[in-house]
Amino acid sequence: MHRRQKPSAPEHKRDLAAHGGALSTSHNDTRSFFNFSQLVLAAGHLKSPPVLKHSKITYFEVEILDMQSKKQICIVDKVPPSSTLLDVKHKFHKACPQWYPSRVGLQLERNGPYLKDSINIQSLAVSSIITLYFTDLGQQVGWTTFFLTEYTGPLLIYLLFYIRLSTIYDQVESTKNFRHPVVHLACFCHCLHYIRHLLETLFVHKFSGGHTPLKNMIKGCAFYWGFTSWIAYYINHPRYTPPSFGHRQVSFAALAFLMCEAGNHFINVTLAHQNHSGLKACFPSPTYNPFTWLFLLVSCPNYTYEVGSWISFTVMTQTLPVGIFAFLMVIQMSLWAQKKHKLYLKRFYPEVRRKAAMIPIIF
């Protein structure tokens, strides 16, 4: 019997070199795999991330709970993954007819923001069952109805005072006193202002089908209708006194009023075209129209022109009610402009960072 002799050290090294260290590499790989296997066995099953494979789910079930009591109101079943939240609201309305889709507020978390109707239901799901919290938003009205009601009232109310009804003014005093031309001009400017608002509501502004609580429309109508009655009563009163500087003051203020009305209209048209042109979202830039050049200074020129119209109307009529109304409009418009300016800063920071909100330098 021949005993097998071990190769010498030099020969063994030459064999390893010849095979490129294959044996060492294989041994290290096996050892690493063994260690990794032991680690997996010690740790248990690896947890998969909580990502839902929506393609395998045919329908969702939406559980709707009351936000206050957390009690279940109903379950909307067989909701396709392509459905929107508005579709869920319509199915919820069929189950609970007392709640119309417009007054249903749905939240993903308690005290969280209300979800938009256009959101896809699939984006909310982490399983086949989706839990939403319900809040009754109260009676709602559409934005078009809101603005048409708010602006039609002042137009009609002012005309009632302009014709000097006998139930409002003394008939003998009304026929005796001569009307100053500024009274007729003020009626024309006031009607022009609200007719422009009504036409823009119908043909320029594009509302996304949203709604607002009925109480907001009542408050808006009370504000505009009430101030219009107060303003129209003083301007059309038989004892109304014309402005101190006469024709020059009236002409200058009327020209400024018409310029502000034109500027407001062109700005609204530009914003409507920019929002619904289908192009990439960008901050509106001035065009060849000089009225749009105000975009170079402020981010909300429509509010600037709106305030300018009422200041001009105050100078033209020189009455205290109009001055108070214009002052309140400056405050309200500045608040809206600041809020809108912050949104612009988030979306169009490079273009808006050096602009003011409504009035250059001040706001």
Side-chain angles (χ1 to χ4, degrees):
M1 294 180 65
H2 296 282
R3 182 179 295 178
R4 186 176 181 180
Q5 297 180 353
K6 295 182 179 180
S8 60
E11 292 176 351
H12 181 64
K13 292 181 179 179
R14 284 196 299 270
D15 291 339
L16 289 177
H19 289 83
L23 293 175
S24 177
T25 305
S26 176
H27 177 72
N28 291 335
D29 293 341
T30 304
R31 188 185 184 95
S32 300
F33 179 78
F34 176 77
N35 293 336
F36 178 75
S37 302
Q38 292 296 324
L39 179 63
V40 172
L41 293 174
H45 297 289
L46 292 176
K47 294 182 179 180
S48 59
V51 178
L52 181 65
K53 294 182 179 180
H54 301 300
S55 59
K56 295 183 179 180
I57 294 181
T58 307
Y59 295 105
F60 290 102
E61 288 186 358
V62 181
E63 181 187 25
I64 300 179
L65 307 179
D66 184 78
M67 191 193 69
Q68 301 295 336
S69 62
K70 296 184 181 179
K71 293 181 180 180
Q72 184 185 94
I73 300 177
C74 73
I75 293 180
V76 181
D77 57 353
K78 293 185 178 181
V79 179
S82 60
S83 299
T84 62
L85 197 68
L86 183 60
D87 299 328
V88 175
K89 289 183 178 182
H90 282 291
K91 291 188 176 184
F92 177 61
H93 172 56
K94 291 182 180 179
C96 303
Q98 68 270 29
W99 290 309
Y100 293 91
S102 60
R103 65 185 297 168
V104 174
L106 295 178
Q107 303 158 279
L108 194 60
E109 298 177 356
R110 294 187 68 194
N111 301 323
Y114 292 111
L115 301 173
K116 295 182 179 180
D117 291 344
S118 59
I119 192 171
N120 190 279
I121 200 67
Q122 190 176 11
S123 63
L124 304 175
V126 293
S127 67
S128 60
I129 300 178
I130 304 172
T131 301
L132 299 177
Y133 294 93
F134 161 76
T135 301
D136 185 8
L137 300 178
Q139 187 65 37
Q140 304 284 303
V141 293
W143 284 110
T144 302
T145 304
F146 176 89
F147 288 115
L148 290 178
T149 305
E150 191 175 66
Y151 296 143
T152 303
L155 179 64
L156 299 178
I157 290 173
Y158 196 97
L159 292 176
L160 291 177
F161 283 90
Y162 176 73
I163 62 178
R164 289 184 176 179
L165 295 176
S166 58
T167 55
I168 301 176
Y169 303 111
D170 181 76
Q171 199 65 22
V172 177
E173 194 173 21
S174 298
T175 55
K176 183 188 301 184
N177 293 343
F178 171 75
R179 292 197 188 192
H180 194 275
V182 70
V183 176
H184 304 290
L185 183 61
C187 181
F188 169 78
C189 291
H190 191 275
C191 293
L192 176 67
H193 178 78
Y194 284 102
I195 289 174
R196 178 184 63 81
H197 273 304
L198 291 172
L199 293 177
E200 288 178 352
T201 300
L202 293 174
F203 303 108
V204 177
H205 300 301
K206 304 296 181 181
F207 304 105
S208 58
H211 297 81
T212 185
L214 178 63
K215 61 181 181 180
N216 289 346
M217 188 181 75
I218 295 176
K219 290 190 294 184
C221 291
F223 177 77
Y224 280 97
W225 295 15
F227 262 102
T228 299
S229 301
W230 192 23
I231 290 170
Y233 176 80
Y234 274 88
I235 295 178
N236 296 285
H237 199 280
R239 298 181 183 179
Y240 169 76
T241 55
S244 303
F245 296 96
H247 179 72
R248 181 178 298 180
Q249 178 179 343
V250 173
S251 301
F252 173 78
L255 180 61
F257 178 88
L258 295 177
M259 290 181 62
C260 289
E261 288 295 304
N264 203 339
H265 171 70
F266 288 121
I267 292 297
N268 288 332
V269 171
T270 302
L271 291 174
H273 177 74
Q274 182 262 341
N275 291 333
H276 302 276
S277 60
L279 302 176
K280 182 179 179 181
C282 59
F283 185 76
S285 57
T287 63
Y288 63 89
N289 190 335
F291 290 102
T292 64
W293 294 352
L294 198 56
F295 273 120
L296 296 172
L297 301 176
V298 297
S299 60
C300 304
N302 51 329
Y303 296 148
T304 307
Y305 283 123
E306 183 75 12
V307 168
S309 295
W310 287 110
I311 294 176
S312 303
F313 195 75
T314 303
V315 175
M316 180 177 63
T317 58
Q318 195 174 309
T319 54
L320 179 63
V322 183
I324 295 176
F325 181 76
F327 176 74
L328 295 177
M329 291 297 289
V330 170
I331 296 176
Q332 182 63 75
M333 293 294 168
S334 63
L335 294 176
W336 287 345
Q338 288 288 346
K339 184 178 180 180
K340 200 170 184 179
H341 185 70
K342 291 179 180 179
L343 296 177
Y344 281 152
L345 286 175
K346 294 179 180 179
R347 296 181 59 190
F348 318 112
Y349 175 72
E351 297 93 337
V352 186
R353 61 173 182 167
R354 296 185 181 277
K355 302 180 188 295
M358 187 179 74
I359 300 177
I361 300 175
I362 299 176
F363 294 110

